[in-house]
Every structure is written in structure tokens, then in C-alpha cells.
């Protein structure tokens, strides 16, 4: 497994993710940057956050970089700050992973996620231990900035119809899960004229009340409070607040694929243009693009692939079906705060979330996984087999086969000897059937 996974380096804090590792990653970044420039650094609320941030700062200063310490901030706030005020960034976070984890994520100078190529260069330096080391009179300067979160909140507000939202005095329940969103989301909602009820909004890296991953099963309190208080919406963020999920005014969880489609539909009602999503996303996106008469581009799985393709094609919207939505007018990264503000804009325009959710096409999903020892060979045989057939096939990431009534996606795991099979169709039964066909194909090719 590569040193940098899908979302930076991750592992158990002070076990795999040690201060020494943080020093060396920051030194590697400084070496990669030619010992020149300024980086901004932020952290989520994890217990080891201060320890690892301090270590990363020391490494960067040693390599000769100037460092701006942003303190506790959501990833999208750090990304927004880096875009306008620094040459790169470091975020100390393990996002939605369980409490004992932490990690390090690099941010590119334009505020987007670090490219895979960039990461592999930094990784080479990390393993070579050939770090640039500034002369005694050239070690870097450290500054702190206390305005990154405010700068981000204002950025979000500037990109929605704030006046209309304020006029509606919406009631919102916000569950920031004791994570980094606690320092921005309640304040942003307040500034948008909302009546805000917060839960889990104290900064606590032990995540005492729920996992940092906002799955429906840990959001029962949120749903209940929305029902009791008659709120217009409930919002929950993951540990570093780049993703947000929602419950509607009835307290019902909005499936993330439905959320993605709702937002695509809304954005396309404002302006026409390309939309971008990974091959794992729902057919709803294709239906919505078709209805609006715009192009939909499928990418490999991973928000960075979506963001880069959006930049290339000047897309108007993109995102993943996990609550990671990207609004290019604001910035090219997943942004939970922006997603929340945009949903408020939708409600303020005169609908309810449950009503709007019903306006996107209905699909059903089915998924399974199977253990597979030689992933590469198996996937090659799967690809060869389907390419011989007559179905429409996409090999952007894994193998996706389109049928008249749906699709099946066969993807190897990046971290385990497992092949995952996802299917989607207009009925539960046919989704199940497509999934079983996919499974059978993989079993035959093992
Ligand atoms: Mg996250």
C-alpha cells in the first residue's frame, strides 16, 4: 500500500502516526517545495492533533518554510485559506476514521487536494530521508492566524443567496460531532439568520457521543431533535467537516446519492454546464444531466479526480455520493459548510427537503464483496471477459457495465484483498439480480 492513501497518511495516533513521522512528512514537503514559500497548517479536534501539528510545524521550519498556524479548522477552511494566502498546506486529520486514528493530508497551492504525482514525489523524499535542511540563520518563521475560520464562513455566505435565506428565519439542528465543524458551522448558520440548535458542538477529540463518521445509525438524536423542534433541516458533519449529511424536516435521513442528485438538479436550474461525478455514483446523475441537456463526465473514484476534472472542464458542479459536494464558484474541494448553505438556499426558494428529494429519480442499490487473493489478475480477466460482450462498458475505475435497466460496478479494494460489486436499477429485485450477475462473473474469473 502506498504511503499516501486516498486521503493522506492515516493510522493509529502515536503508534504509526508519530511526531517523528509528522516531522519527516513536513520536511519532505519543504524539500519538495525547494525550501521556499509559505504553508498553512490546521488540525481537527483529535487528541493527538496538537502534538502532530507541533511536530509538522517543526519539520517545515527546519526545511526553511514559513508556517502559518491556523489552529483548529475544518479542512475546507484550511483549503480556502491556502488558496488565497499560502503556497501549500498541511491538515492534521483522520477525517471520519475512529477516534484512535490521526493522519496528515497535504493541500496544493490552489487549495485543492495534493495531486497523486505530487504525493509520490513527497513520498520518494520521505523514504530517501534526503531532507533539505535550512542553514542556522535560514530556518523558517512561524506565525499564527486566527481569521481562517471567519474568512471561510464569509466565503460561504458570499456564495449563497444570503438575503433570501435570512428572510426565512429557518430552524436548523446542527450535529458537528465534536469535530472541526464545531468552530464554523453553528456560526455560519447564525450569520444566515437561522435559529440554530447545536448538538455535539464542543471540541472533544474523544468523540464521546458519536463516531466522526456521520452514518444514519449515529444520527438518531439529530433526527429526533429535528422532529421535536419542528426544524426545517438537520445537518451532521464528519470529523473534519468536508462532508455533510442531512435529515429532512421529518427527521428522515437523506441518502447521500439522493443528496448529490438534488444538488446537481438545483445547480443546473441556476446555470447550465458540465457536471462531474465518479463512476460509483447513481444513475440519477445521468438522468438529471440528460434532463438539463448538459454533459456528465464520469471519473475514477476519489474527490481529487472529480475536482481536477471539474477544473479542466470548467464544470458547474461535481461531487461524490458520500456527502462530499464540490461547488467550483467557491472552491475546488469537498465542502460540508457550503453544501449546508446551498441546501438552505433551496429551502428558502420555497420548498422542503423531503419535497425536493422526491423530485429526483428513484433507484435501488445492491452491493456485496468477495475475497480475492490475486486482485490484479482477476480484474484483468473480468475486464477481458466483459470487453468481449455486447454491453456498454466503462473501465475508468474498475469495470462498470451498463444494462438497459441499470448498471453493475466491479472494483478491487485499494487496501484489502477484496473485490466489491455494486449494482443499481429501477427496482430492488433487478438491482439484486445485476449484483448477483456481477458476483458470478468475478467468481468465474478468480
Ligand atoms: Mg472528511
Amino acid at each position: 500500500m502506498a504511503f499516501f492513501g486516498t486521503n493522506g497518511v492515516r493510522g493509529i495516533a502515536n503508534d504509526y502516526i508519530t511526531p517523528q513521522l509528522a516531522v519527516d512528512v513536513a520536511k519532505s514537503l519543504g524539500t519538495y517545495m525547494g525550501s521556499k514559500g509559505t504553508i498553512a497548517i490546521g488540525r481537527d479536534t483529535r487528541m493527538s492533533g496538537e502534538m502532530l501539528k507541533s511536530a509538522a510545524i517543526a519539520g517545515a521550519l527546519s526545511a526553511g518554510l514559513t508556517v502559518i498556524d491556523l489552529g483548529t479548522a475544518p479542512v475546507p477552511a484550511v483549503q480556502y485559506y491556502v488558496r488565497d494566502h499560502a503556497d501549500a498546506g498541511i491538515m492534521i486529520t483522520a477525517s471520519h476514521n475512529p477516534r484512535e486514528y490521526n493522519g496528515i493530508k497535504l493541500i496544493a497551492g490552489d487549495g485543492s487536494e495534493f495531486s497523486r504525482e505530487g504525493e509520490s514525489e513527497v513520498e520518494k523524499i520521505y523514504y530517501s530521508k534526503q531532507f533539505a535542511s535550512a542553514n542556522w540563520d535560514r530556518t523558517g518563521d512561524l506565525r499564527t492566524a486566527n481569521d481562517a475560520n471567519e474568512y471561510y464562513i464569509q466565503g460561504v455566505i458570499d456564495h449563497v443567496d444570503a438575503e433570501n435565506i435570512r428572510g426565512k428565519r429557518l430552524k436548523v439542528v446542527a450535529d458537528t460531532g465534536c469535530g472541526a465543524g464545531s468552530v464554523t458551522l453553528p456560526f455560519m448558520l447564525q450569520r444566515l439568520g437561522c435559529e440554530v440548535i447545536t448538538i455535539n458542538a464542543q471540541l472533544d477529540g474523544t468523540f464521546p457521543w458519536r463516531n466522526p463518521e456521520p452514518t444514519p445509525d449515529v444520527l438518531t438524536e439529530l433526527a429526533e431533535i429535528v422532529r421535536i423542534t419542528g426544524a426545517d433541516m438537520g445537518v451532521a458533519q464528519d470529523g473534519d467537516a468536508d462532508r455533510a449529511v442531512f435529515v429532512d424536516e421529518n427527521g428522515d435521513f437523506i441518502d447521500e446519492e439522493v443528496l448529490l442528485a438534488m444538488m446537481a438538479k438545483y445547480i443546473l436550474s441556476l446555470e447550465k454546464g458540465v457536471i462531474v461525478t465518479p463512476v460509483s455514483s447513481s444513475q440519477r446523475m445521468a438522468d438529471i444531466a440528460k434532463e438539463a441537456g448538459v454533459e456528465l463526465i464520469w471519473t475514477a473514484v476519489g474527490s481529487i479526480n472529480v475536482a481536477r476534472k471539474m477544473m479542466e472542464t470548467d464544470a458547474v458542479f461535481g461531487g461524490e455520493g458520500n456527502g462530499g459536494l464540490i461547488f467550483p464558484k467557491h472552491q475546488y474541494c469537498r465542502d460540508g459548510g457550503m453544501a449546508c448553505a446551498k441546501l438552505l438556499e433551496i429551502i428558502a426558494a420555497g420548498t422542503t427537503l423531503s419535497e425536493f428529494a422526491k423530485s429526483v429519480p428513484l433507484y435501488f442499490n445492491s452491493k456485496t464483496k468477495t475475497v480475492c487473493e490475486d486482485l490484479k489478475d482477476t480484474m484483468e480477466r473480468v475486464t477481458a471477459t466483459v470487453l468481449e460482450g455486447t454491453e456498454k462498458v466503462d473501465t475508468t475505475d474498475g469495470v462498470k457495465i451498463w444494462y438497459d435497466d441499470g448498471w453493475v460496478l466491479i472494483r478491487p479494494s485499494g487496501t484489502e484483498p477484496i473485490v466489491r460489486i455494486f449494482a443499481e436499477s429501477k427496482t430492488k429485485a433487478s438491482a439484486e439480480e445485476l449484483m448477483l450477475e456481477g458476483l458470478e462473473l468475478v467468481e468465474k474469473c478468480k
Side-chain angles (χ1 to χ4, degrees):
M1 201 178 88
F3 181 58
F4 286 103
T6 317
N7 272 297
V9 194
R10 296 241 183 112
I12 307 290
N14 220 15
D15 174 50
Y16 176 61
I17 305 292
T18 59
Q20 187 62 56
L21 181 139
V23 167
D24 287 354
V25 169
K27 279 186 180 178
S28 305
L29 176 65
T31 309
Y32 173 78
M33 292 171 70
S35 295
K36 280 195 302 285
T38 300
I39 64 161
I41 183 164
R43 54 166 290 208
D44 64 16
T45 58
R46 287 168 191 275
M47 299 305 283
S48 53
E50 201 57 38
M51 173 187 83
L52 294 169
K53 190 189 71 180
S54 306
I57 289 173
L61 296 175
S62 150
L65 299 180
T66 300
V67 180
I68 307 173
D69 181 359
L70 306 181
T72 302
V75 192
V78 176
Q79 293 182 269
Y80 197 58
Y81 191 91
V82 166
R83 188 191 72 181
D84 295 347
H85 299 102
D87 304 304
I90 293 178
M91 179 73 191
I92 306 296
T93 179
S95 187
H96 61 273
N97 283 149
R99 28 183 85 78
E100 63 271 24
Y101 282 74
N102 213 333
I104 304 170
K105 186 183 167 97
L106 303 181
I107 299 163
D110 61 3
S112 67
E113 292 174 72
F114 225 65
S115 69
R116 293 273 175 265
E117 299 74 36
E119 275 181 350
S120 90
E121 289 302 311
V122 172
E123 187 177 323
K124 263 186 224 155
I125 299 166
Y126 176 85
Y127 283 119
S128 78
K129 305 281 175 211
Q130 302 292 308
F131 305 125
S133 181
N135 206 40
W136 67 270
D137 57 348
R138 288 279 183 276
T139 58
D141 281 327
L142 173 63
R143 303 203 299 268
T144 55
N146 300 318
D147 59 346
N149 290 324
E150 171 54 33
Y151 186 66
Y152 165 73
I153 290 170
Q154 192 55 49
V156 171
I157 291 173
D158 288 346
H159 287 90
V160 289
D161 186 350
E163 211 186 301
N164 200 27
I165 297 171
R166 285 189 191 115
K168 296 296 191 301
R169 301 290 300 167
L170 300 171
K171 191 187 278 189
V172 181
V173 185
D175 177 356
T176 46
C178 298
S182 308
V183 297
T184 50
L185 188 68
F187 305 98
M188 182 197 91
L189 290 168
Q190 211 166 41
R191 299 257 299 270
L192 285 169
C194 297
E195 186 183 330
V196 193
I197 300 159
T198 57
I199 51 175
N200 302 325
Q202 75 279 27
L203 305 181
D204 187 342
T206 65
F207 303 107
W209 304 112
R210 72 160 169 90
N211 258 339
E213 170 85 315
T215 47
D217 55 307
V218 300
L219 301 180
T220 49
E221 257 189 314
L222 174 74
E224 190 60 25
I225 295 172
V226 166
R227 281 187 209 109
I228 292 169
T229 59
D232 297 286
M233 171 175 112
V235 49
Q237 292 183 320
D238 73 333
D240 53 6
D242 52 353
R243 292 190 294 131
V245 300
F246 300 88
V247 299
D248 66 19
E249 74 284 2
N250 303 315
D252 292 327
F253 186 80
I254 300 174
D255 178 278
E256 288 104 322
E257 291 288 354
V258 173
L259 172 70
L260 176 67
M262 284 164 71
M263 199 55 85
K265 185 181 165 107
Y266 177 67
I267 299 290
L268 289 175
S269 76
L270 303 177
E271 58 174 329
K272 298 277 182 267
V274 172
I275 58 173
V276 181
T277 202
V279 290
S280 53
S281 289
S282 168
Q283 186 67 19
R284 292 177 182 92
M285 291 293 274
D287 294 355
I288 282 162
K290 196 170 162 199
E291 192 186 298
V294 303
E295 189 188 354
L296 166 68
I297 299 176
W298 300 102
T299 68
V301 174
S303 55
I304 183 169
N305 301 313
V306 178
R308 300 262 161 207
K309 186 54 83 177
M310 288 175 70
M311 288 181 201
E312 258 171 53
T313 58
D314 206 18
V316 295
F317 177 69
E320 307 171 297
N322 63 2
L325 309 183
I326 305 173
F327 301 88
K329 284 213 168 86
H330 184 226
Q331 56 176 344
Y332 283 99
C333 67
R334 293 182 296 191
D335 193 330
M338 191 68 212
C340 180
K342 272 288 168 200
L343 273 195
L344 292 175
E345 190 179 286
I346 293 176
I347 300 173
T351 182
T352 61
L353 285 187
S354 68
E355 207 177 297
F356 195 67
K358 273 186 221 135
S359 75
V360 304
L362 187 63
Y363 279 94
F364 294 88
N365 295 86
S366 181
K367 64 179 178 182
T368 189
K369 59 188 177 186
T370 174
V371 175
C372 178
E373 291 308 330
D374 56 355
L375 279 181
K376 197 168 165 281
D377 291 348
T378 304
M379 284 311 295
E380 271 170 21
R381 281 192 287 271
V382 167
T383 309
T385 309
V386 296
L387 287 176
E388 277 170 18
T390 53
E391 274 81 21
K392 205 174 132 205
V393 176
D394 184 326
T395 55
T396 305
D397 190 346
V399 173
K400 186 173 184 177
I401 312 157
W402 268 282
Y403 299 93
D404 289 339
D405 58 343
W407 55 263
V408 58
L409 173 67
I410 300 166
R411 278 187 78 226
S413 161
T415 52
E416 303 161 278
I418 278 174
V419 176
R420 297 180 201 279
I421 298 128
F422 308 87
E424 186 178 63
S425 191
K426 280 279 181 193
T427 66
K428 187 92 201 115
S430 64
E432 187 93 13
E433 205 175 300
L434 290 179
M435 181 274 286
L436 290 172
E437 270 178 47
L439 178 62
E440 198 183 324
L441 173 64
V442 175
E443 297 298 342
K444 253 195 288 184
C445 292
K446 270 185 191 170

